[in-house]
Amino acid sequence: MLKYEDVAEKIKQMIYQQSMPKGTQLPNIEGLINQYQVSRTTIIKALNRLERHGVIYQVQGSGIFVRQPKKVSYLNFLESHGFSVDLNDLPGSSQVFNVDLMQPNVKVKENLQCDDNEQVYYIKRLRYADGKVYGFEQSYYRKKLVSYLNKEIAENSIFSYVQEVCKINIGFSDKYFKAIKLDAEIAPYLGLQAGDPALCVEEIFYTTSGEPFDFSQIVYHYENAKFYVQSHSK
């Protein structure tokens, strides 16, 4: 985790732990520099990150303020770090079914821009929040970039592992949404019936240099999964 990301996370946790209401004014930039003992550049980058994520808003000449907290148990629909549920109110977990090393099929190869001789890690898991199934996920990681994965890693945050151990700087992602009817293969994982509706999200994750390293598909439970989106004017 980069320094400004760490500071942003600490400020966010302070806001949540103290249950600061909307409109609460935070210390100014100088105050935050003294509080976290970091550079002005780091604080500015941390604040910009928090603003993009809908945690705060900044008013030029007036200060830094807490934004309206999200509703309990809602997931950030635009969060760019995988499932990363952004739940400070509910515990999240994963049930991993397999972690396999394989040759990518045509679709995976196309989305990850793999070479002919590349292998990928294939992970299949259920994602939970507050004990409820939120989604069924299938992910493919390029072994060229993510050299090792196992079940223990997949039961936790793969993206933390990717950043901290594999030293990959995660940059951005492309998301594709479509409404589907569940087929007989996926429906049992979600505890639903074939033909039930679902939201399918496919996402390609890139490094900061623009190289794809993960292609994931999550099919969300139509009753349990709830989302929110916060717009940002800049």
Side-chain angles (χ1 to χ4, degrees):
M1 182 179 292
L2 300 175
K3 188 64 177 177
Y4 78 91
E5 294 174 328
D6 179 57
V7 172
E9 183 63 24
K10 287 176 179 176
I11 295 173
K12 184 176 76 171
Q13 290 303 320
M14 175 189 70
I15 290 170
Y16 289 155
Q17 288 170 6
Q18 296 182 21
S19 300
M20 294 181 178
K22 175 186 176 182
T24 300
Q25 186 167 6
L26 299 179
N28 61 21
I29 290 177
E30 295 300 329
L32 292 171
I33 289 172
N34 292 330
Q35 182 174 344
Y36 293 100
Q37 293 296 295
V38 293
S39 69
R40 174 178 291 272
T41 299
T42 297
I43 286 295
I44 290 173
K45 290 177 70 174
L47 292 175
N48 289 339
R49 177 181 176 86
L50 291 170
E51 191 165 27
R52 288 195 306 272
H53 288 195
V55 178
I56 65 166
Y57 62 97
Q58 302 181 71
V59 180
Q60 188 172 3
S62 297
I64 306 158
F65 302 89
V66 174
R67 191 165 173 173
Q68 176 69 45
K70 68 183 181 68
K71 294 181 179 179
V72 173
S73 80
Y74 279 70
L75 309 182
N76 187 340
F77 204 45
L78 299 182
E79 176 60 49
S80 61
H81 285 102
F83 184 69
S84 198
V85 293
D86 188 35
L87 291 173
N88 291 277
D89 44 33
L90 295 177
S93 61
S94 299
Q95 178 184 356
V96 180
F97 296 101
N98 59 276
V99 179
D100 299 322
L101 194 59
M102 59 179 283
Q103 295 298 130
N105 61 30
V106 174
K107 181 177 180 179
V108 173
K109 185 177 177 180
E110 179 182 332
N111 281 286
L112 287 179
Q113 301 171 25
C114 292
D115 296 331
D116 290 338
N117 60 347
E118 276 195 59
Q119 289 184 307
V120 297
Y121 280 103
Y122 169 57
I123 297 175
K124 182 167 62 178
R125 56 186 178 170
L126 279 177
R127 311 308 300 266
Y128 292 84
D130 198 28
K132 296 180 180 180
V133 175
Y134 259 62
F136 173 70
E137 180 184 61
Q138 299 179 84
S139 298
Y140 303 85
Y141 290 84
R142 294 175 69 182
K143 188 177 186 296
K144 173 183 176 181
L145 299 176
V146 183
S147 59
Y148 179 72
L149 285 171
N150 61 21
K151 187 174 180 180
E152 182 180 0
I153 295 167
E155 286 173 343
N156 297 287
S157 171
I158 296 178
F159 273 40
S160 292
Y161 167 81
V162 164
Q163 290 177 302
E164 295 167 10
V165 178
C166 300
K167 304 302 181 184
I168 291 177
N169 293 321
I170 300 172
F172 52 91
S173 71
D174 295 325
K175 280 188 178 183
Y176 303 87
F177 310 90
K178 60 181 177 180
I180 65 170
K181 291 184 178 180
L182 294 174
D183 60 28
E185 179 183 356
I186 294 178
Y189 286 104
L190 296 171
L192 297 172
Q193 300 296 317
D196 281 345
L199 176 66
C200 177
V201 179
E202 292 185 345
E203 190 162 11
I204 307 165
F205 298 89
Y206 300 84
T207 67
T208 51
S209 62
E211 190 169 12
F213 70 91
D214 168 27
F215 170 59
S216 293
Q217 178 195 77
I218 301 183
V219 178
Y220 286 101
H221 193 295
Y222 77 94
E223 292 181 322
N224 296 340
K226 297 181 291 184
F227 306 93
Y228 76 103
V229 174
Q230 289 179 304
S231 65
H232 179 54
S233 61
K234 295 180 181 179

